[in-house]
Amino acid sequence: MTFFTADICDEYSERVFALASGYRNYGGAHKCQGQVVTIKLDRNNSDLIKLLRDEDGTGKVVVVDVGQVYFAVVGENLMKFANQNNYTGILVNGYIRDTQQIRDIPVALYALGTCPRKYIPVTTGERGIPLSFGGIDFNNGDYLYADNDGVIVTTERIV
């Protein structure tokens, strides 16, 4: 990937939305780009597991909203599923774990921070719905670009 988010912002300033600061990349890929797949969770990651494990993610980035609840929703196993199914990245409005183990998995993973515990009781999530966090709106089918400078979203593919 040869893009840089700063260059995209300069060239397409009217078409780009930048995610608020505070999200950090914990994954093994230093950048990612792809079509957005949205999912909203209620603390438990069962529906996210099914998505990453069972569906082809070629050219896609999963945007997960868990409302910043202090439970980890992505860890080593989900990152392995994401890699096996060709997802380029995951953005979590919440927390992740297994940072030592996921460092070498070549998928970008942006999150607010880490938490060692996960939520055990199964709850249901919603897929393909509009999400709003970090000062921007995410819709299924938008395009996300992320690197060391930040995360940006556009309504259409521009790179």
Side-chain angles (χ1 to χ4, degrees):
M1 287 183 240
T2 58
F3 73 89
F4 294 96
T5 57
D7 293 341
I8 295 171
C9 287
D10 290 350
E11 189 170 343
Y12 302 98
S13 62
E14 300 298 320
R15 296 166 51 190
V16 173
F17 303 93
L19 185 66
S21 64
Y23 294 83
R24 178 178 164 221
N25 185 6
Y26 294 90
H30 298 290
K31 56 173 60 176
C32 69
Q33 72 180 59
Q35 192 170 32
V36 169
V37 175
T38 62
I39 185 167
K40 183 167 181 59
L41 301 177
D42 178 22
R43 297 171 294 204
N44 180 273
N45 65 1
S46 297
D47 288 336
L48 182 59
I49 291 170
K50 292 174 192 168
L51 169 65
L52 296 173
R53 182 191 63 206
D54 300 340
E55 296 183 28
D56 180 27
T58 303
K60 296 180 182 171
V61 177
V62 179
V63 176
V64 182
D65 188 3
V66 69
Q68 299 183 6
V69 179
Y70 194 56
F71 289 97
V73 294
V74 176
E76 179 183 16
N77 290 332
L78 273 72
M79 286 291 284
K80 286 180 180 177
F81 293 146
N83 185 45
Q84 290 166 358
N85 281 318
N86 303 309
Y87 288 91
T88 64
I90 303 169
L91 167 62
V92 180
N93 185 32
Y95 300 88
I96 58 100
R97 68 184 194 172
D98 300 330
T99 57
Q100 183 73 33
Q101 297 92 323
I102 64 176
R103 238 188 287 213
D104 297 323
I105 299 173
V107 175
L109 175 59
Y110 291 82
L112 289 171
T114 63
C115 178
R117 68 182 178 153
K118 66 180 181 179
Y119 191 77
I120 302 298
V122 175
T123 59
T124 57
E126 295 178 83
R127 286 191 45 194
I129 64 168
L131 303 176
S132 184
F133 61 86
I136 60 176
D137 297 324
F138 299 89
N139 292 292
N140 224 39
D142 285 349
Y143 283 83
L144 184 146
Y145 304 87
D147 63 13
N148 291 334
D149 289 335
V151 177
I152 60 174
V153 175
T154 64
T155 58
E156 58 190 6
R157 184 178 185 159
I158 56 177
V159 174

